[in-house]
Amino acid sequence: MSFRSMLLVIVAGLAMPHFLSSAEGQTSTAEQPTSNSTEEPTLIPRSILFGNPQRANARVSPNGKWLSFLAPVDGILNVWVAPIDDLEKAKPVTKDKVRDIRGHYWAYTGDHIIYTQDKAGDENWHIYVTDVATGETKDLTPLDNIHAQVQDVSQKFPNEILVGLNDRIPQLHDIYRVDILTGDRELIQQNEGMAAYVTDDDFDVRFAFNYTPEGGTVLMKPKQAGETGEGAEWENFIETGPEDAMNTGPAGFDKSGNVLYLQDSRKRDTGALFAINLETGDKKLVAEDPRADVGSMIVHPTEKTIQAVSFNYTRDEWKILDESIRADLEYLESVEDGEVLITSRTLDDKLWTVAFLLDDGPIKFYLYDRPNKKASFLFSSRDDLDQYKLAKMHTPVIKSRDGLNLVSYLTLPVGSDPDGDGVPDKPLPLVLDVHGGPWARDEWGFNSTHQWLADRGYAVLSVNYRGSTGFGKNFTNAANGEWSRKMHDDLIDSVNWAVDEGIAQRDKIAIMGGSYGGYATLVGLTYTPDVFACGVDIVGPSSLVTLLQNIPPYWVPFMPVMKVRVGDVETEEGQAELLERSPLTRVDKIARPLLIGQGANDPRVTQLEADQIVGAMKIKHIPVTYVLYPDEGHGFAGEQNRMSFNAVTEAFLAEHLGGEVEPVGDDFEGSSIHVPVGADEVTGVAEALSKDRLEMPPKEEKAAE
């Protein structure tokens, strides 16, 4: 398991979940107009922008027999499979009728699909396997109240996978070897207090990973080679302080298993890629960039050599390490005007699936015949935006007041910037769209929210404020203890930049975001109440104390890092300091309209966070609109729930910024939406809902979901 995977597994963070990977079919995509129509529709429908993709997530099976992808079945995303040479014969092989499948990959058998699924957003993930020949789907983790994760897969054991299960102790994942054909599992590593384990292609446990009490990390190896079972003794191999905890860790092994690839920021700023010979101890620099941490890697499917590494500052750029693929990448870069991502490869390396990322068009998928250097178009994520002109995304780098470079992304309404310099011909209402995490980042590419808001007449700005990842440890560490402080200053500096540059109207700026972005919204309206005309908070924490007191059990190993990055919730002094930086304590400062969206089953930012700030606002007679979904978790995965919330958001923004509005229409149909507070504050919402939907959902309704 790689360092990046471990971080995602150990703590999902306060980031909004990507229900489809950012590289392959975000929940909406589009392409440049090819229609012969001379009259463009006034607005791009929300149903196109936020509906499920028509097709996404293309994968070729390891044996080259099959092509798989995600596509709706009766409105729910499922996995489809076609013979590699006949896409027209594609048929669905999974049968989920309630919740979208958001990703999948092939088992090394070449005949089985593996995917994960939860219920109603509870993030109690189960791992499923589907036989593409029979359509039979098996739950490989048929246990209650678990958070299962795929630990590893290997071509050496095509019928098996390694799975992490926290059924014994909720805070810890034991490692099991699971037969995907029978479901039989064998314990290979009982977890005795580790945050994660690192395994190799032989399914051997090679290292244990943990966080130190000081918020650093330690990578441990067994004192006796090969002895990793119950009672095994471990010794430190690589230890980092808290300053390097986010930027240093294992990234895989070579084919022999004797070389460990390591992302390492020690004695430097950005995390570079190194190779460590585990027999001799020799350490070799493989790739580095002074502006950005090492990103994605292209790894040979069987030789396990790292062939190329990406670095993403404002845009993703590949550094080629293996000359044998230079001609392939150069050819692929000529196919489409977008960023190239290899999404799967056959074991013989003759076929690749490739995704092309654009800022003003859909993600486009191709099948690449490597021996013949020929890429054949498969499909786009959507082809129903052909008649619409989409906006380009600019990449300004904004200076913070203390000199940090804030890599940002700006989208302007089509036609508002005739010379294409990133400045409209007159200032516009602006939406500041704040990403979650905060240990995540915004990136260049098609963004359905940017396109939606730009189409409604707004400038849209996303800012990688301090704490965002990928820009080196100094940038990440600059956010320690700075929630509601310098992290918020970065957002205010960006707003001031947009006004000074003639992009934004000072009195018509909204702040909006999910998870940490929701917290930033609440901070914006409570700490700088005169800056923003309104705010939209989606699953954002209102109190840092209750946030840290109600974590999912599997976050426990990560809590020393949270103490360094956020604050200490275990002492009275620490709690007082956290409350000082919590919007809940400053509710009386709210003077501008606020819209809150929440999932009732959110395990990361629980419903308490929304309930308590809404309750405090009601006591002080401060208007607020509260939208609650009984069948959602950390974000709105259901297509109709997304549609309904965005319909409310669009009407809300229009009232306070003056943009255009598509009527609600039937966007509430099929949604579980409840608006128990403030429905009358947004035009058309109360009228569109039945009386029971204007109340809190019954507890039994939540339980049923």
Side-chain angles (χ1 to χ4, degrees):
M1 176 177 276
S2 74
F3 174 56
R4 294 175 196 80
S5 298
M6 283 193 295
L7 286 180
L8 290 172
V9 163
I10 293 165
V11 56
L14 300 183
M16 294 288 283
H18 290 154
F19 301 117
L20 298 174
S21 83
S22 60
E24 306 173 67
Q26 305 161 56
T27 51
S28 59
T29 45
E31 65 179 293
Q32 297 180 34
T34 58
S35 171
N36 294 323
S37 172
T38 58
E39 183 179 347
E40 292 186 350
T42 304
L43 297 178
I44 305 174
R46 286 187 300 270
S47 59
I48 294 178
L49 286 166
F50 295 104
N52 280 333
Q54 293 164 319
R55 289 176 175 176
N57 214 217
R59 295 283 187 268
V60 61
S61 62
N63 54 18
K65 288 172 51 180
W66 308 103
L67 181 81
S68 62
F69 56 89
L70 296 179
V73 177
D74 297 328
I76 301 297
L77 287 177
N78 276 273
V79 182
W80 294 58
V81 172
I84 193 67
D85 57 354
D86 194 349
L87 192 60
E88 296 301 316
K89 291 184 178 179
K91 62 180 182 180
V93 296
T94 61
K95 302 177 180 66
D96 204 308
K97 300 181 184 303
V98 177
R99 199 161 176 85
D100 294 327
I101 294 173
R102 286 149 275 180
H104 76 286
Y105 56 91
W106 284 92
Y108 279 107
T109 60
D111 294 305
H112 296 83
I113 294 289
I114 297 172
Y115 67 95
T116 60
Q117 186 63 287
D118 70 343
K119 292 182 179 179
D122 61 8
E123 298 187 15
N124 289 331
W125 299 102
H126 285 226
I127 301 169
Y128 296 88
V129 62
T130 297
D131 185 320
V132 300
T134 67
E136 178 188 1
T137 294
K138 185 190 307 292
D139 184 353
L140 296 176
T141 53
L143 303 165
D144 294 330
N145 300 316
I146 60 162
H147 179 274
Q149 57 198 34
V150 177
Q151 166 75 24
D152 222 335
V153 295
S154 172
Q155 71 273 17
K156 294 182 179 180
F157 308 103
N159 295 344
E160 297 176 304
I161 61 174
L162 293 186
V163 170
L165 281 176
N166 65 338
D167 58 319
R168 185 176 60 89
I169 300 176
Q171 294 84 357
L172 303 174
H173 285 79
D174 300 323
I175 308 301
Y176 288 85
R177 193 164 179 159
V178 178
D179 188 313
I180 65 172
L181 303 183
T182 65
D184 294 340
R185 63 178 180 269
E186 173 192 1
L187 178 68
I188 68 165
Q189 180 66 59
Q190 181 168 298
N191 193 327
E192 299 180 356
M194 303 299 179
Y197 292 95
V198 181
T199 49
D200 63 16
D201 273 356
D202 292 319
F203 282 174
D204 290 331
V205 177
R206 301 291 300 277
F207 294 99
F209 177 89
N210 222 339
Y211 292 97
T212 66
E214 298 76 26
T217 63
V218 57
L219 188 68
M220 294 167 280
K221 65 178 182 179
K223 282 189 175 181
Q224 299 295 324
E227 293 188 9
T228 61
E230 186 176 357
E233 295 186 48
W234 300 82
E235 61 183 4
N236 291 359
F237 178 64
I238 295 174
E239 188 168 1
T240 75
E243 67 277 4
D244 290 296
M246 293 281 190
N247 305 77
T248 300
F253 299 93
D254 75 343
K255 185 177 182 179
S256 71
N258 295 325
V259 173
L260 172 70
Y261 294 112
L262 181 76
Q263 177 181 320
D264 198 348
S265 64
R266 293 172 300 167
K267 298 182 180 180
R268 53 183 296 124
D269 179 22
T270 57
L273 183 64
F274 290 86
I276 299 177
N277 187 307
L278 297 175
E279 295 180 340
T280 66
D282 292 341
K283 182 179 178 181
K284 177 184 176 183
L285 176 66
V286 177
E288 64 177 336
D289 188 290
R291 302 174 305 163
D293 298 326
V294 62
S296 302
M297 301 178 193
I298 298 176
V299 181
H300 190 278
T302 55
E303 295 303 312
K304 302 302 179 182
T305 52
I306 297 180
Q307 298 178 294
V309 175
S310 73
F311 294 94
N312 189 340
Y313 186 62
T314 60
R315 295 278 303 272
D316 217 24
E317 300 175 3
W318 288 102
K319 180 174 182 178
I320 296 173
L321 306 177
D322 181 351
E323 288 298 318
S324 71
I325 67 164
R326 181 176 295 277
D328 301 294
L329 291 182
E330 289 178 348
Y331 165 74
L332 289 172
E333 288 173 353
S334 72
V335 173
E336 292 280 356
D337 184 20
E339 294 181 356
V340 176
L341 183 76
I342 300 168
T343 62
S344 65
R345 299 160 79 167
T346 55
L347 285 174
D348 63 12
D349 209 25
K350 292 182 178 179
L351 295 175
W352 299 357
T353 52
V354 182
F356 291 89
L357 284 64
L358 294 83
D359 60 342
D360 61 347
I363 296 171
K364 299 182 179 181
F365 296 90
Y366 282 76
L367 184 66
Y368 176 52
D369 178 345
R370 189 168 182 238
N372 295 308
K373 297 290 187 291
K374 181 181 179 182
S376 301
F377 179 74
L378 293 172
F379 48 77
S380 296
S381 301
R382 300 202 76 98
D383 56 15
D384 51 3
L385 271 171
D386 294 356
Q387 59 186 311
Y388 300 96
K389 177 70 174 177
L390 300 177
K392 299 292 291 182
M393 178 177 277
H394 301 276
T395 58
V397 179
I398 302 168
K399 279 286 185 184
S400 71
R401 66 189 67 180
D402 56 353
L404 294 183
N405 290 327
L406 310 177
V407 173
S408 304
Y409 299 94
L410 173 69
T411 303
L412 301 173
V414 171
S416 67
D417 176 20
D419 59 5
D421 65 351
V423 179
D425 51 12
K426 62 180 181 180
L428 298 166
L430 180 137
V431 178
L432 180 66
D433 184 23
V434 186
H435 73 70
W439 308 297
R441 62 162 295 169
D442 284 308
E443 298 181 344
W444 180 92
F446 185 88
N447 185 305
S448 55
T449 298
H450 273 233
Q451 294 292 342
W452 167 48
L453 296 174
D455 186 64
R456 275 30 173 190
Y458 309 120
V460 194
L461 180 63
S462 293
V463 179
N464 284 307
Y465 48 85
R466 72 190 66 208
S468 302
T469 50
F471 303 99
K473 69 183 182 187
N474 293 334
F475 193 80
T476 302
N477 294 333
N480 291 353
E482 297 295 340
W483 289 43
S484 85
R485 295 171 179 163
K486 291 183 180 179
M487 295 168 77
H488 186 59
D489 289 345
D490 290 346
L491 300 178
I492 298 301
D493 292 347
S494 302
V495 166
N496 291 336
W497 169 85
V499 172
D500 292 343
E501 291 291 315
I503 295 168
Q505 295 175 246
R506 171 69 71 182
D507 62 342
K508 288 192 175 182
I509 298 173
I511 183 169
M512 180 172 85
S515 203
Y516 177 87
Y519 167 82
T521 296
L522 297 177
V523 168
L525 268 59
T526 54
Y527 287 74
T528 52
D530 297 328
V531 172
F532 299 101
C534 62
V536 181
D537 154 33
I538 308 168
V539 297
S542 60
S543 166
L544 297 181
V545 171
T546 52
L547 169 73
L548 296 176
Q549 288 176 335
N550 293 279
I551 60 169
Y554 42 87
W555 278 27
V556 169
F558 190 74
M559 290 310 288
V561 176
M562 295 291 275
K563 183 180 293 186
V564 171
R565 307 285 178 183
V566 186
D568 187 357
V569 75
E570 297 177 352
T571 66
E572 288 186 12
E573 182 182 9
Q575 287 188 21
E577 199 270 342
L578 289 167
L579 286 174
E580 182 185 334
R581 294 186 282 123
S582 296
L584 184 62
T585 64
R586 299 172 63 93
V587 164
D588 59 331
K589 301 294 184 182
I590 297 177
R592 303 292 169 81
L594 174 62
L595 169 63
I596 294 178
Q598 180 67 42
N601 304 314
D602 192 338
R604 309 185 213 176
V605 179
T606 66
Q607 184 182 332
L608 171 64
E609 298 301 321
D611 284 353
Q612 62 192 0
I613 196 165
V614 169
M617 293 177 70
K618 286 176 65 178
I619 290 172
K620 294 181 179 294
H621 305 289
I622 301 171
V624 61
T625 301
Y626 182 19
V627 182
L628 180 64
Y629 294 91
D631 60 348
E632 291 285 9
H634 197 62
F636 309 139
E639 180 179 30
Q640 287 307 121
N641 291 340
R642 288 196 306 273
M643 299 288 289
S644 65
F645 187 76
N646 289 331
V648 176
T649 300
E650 184 171 316
F652 175 81
L653 291 174
E655 288 190 21
H656 305 296
L657 298 185
E660 296 191 69
V661 184
E662 177 189 3
V664 170
D666 60 1
D667 281 357
F668 287 178
E669 293 182 13
S671 169
S672 69
I673 185 172
H674 285 252
V675 188
V677 179
D680 291 332
E681 300 291 333
V682 183
T683 301
V685 172
E687 295 81 0
L689 293 172
S690 59
K691 183 179 179 181
D692 64 306
R693 295 301 182 95
L694 298 175
E695 301 171 349
M696 291 291 286
K699 291 183 179 180
E700 57 269 21
E701 181 179 344
K702 295 190 208 177
E705 295 293 346

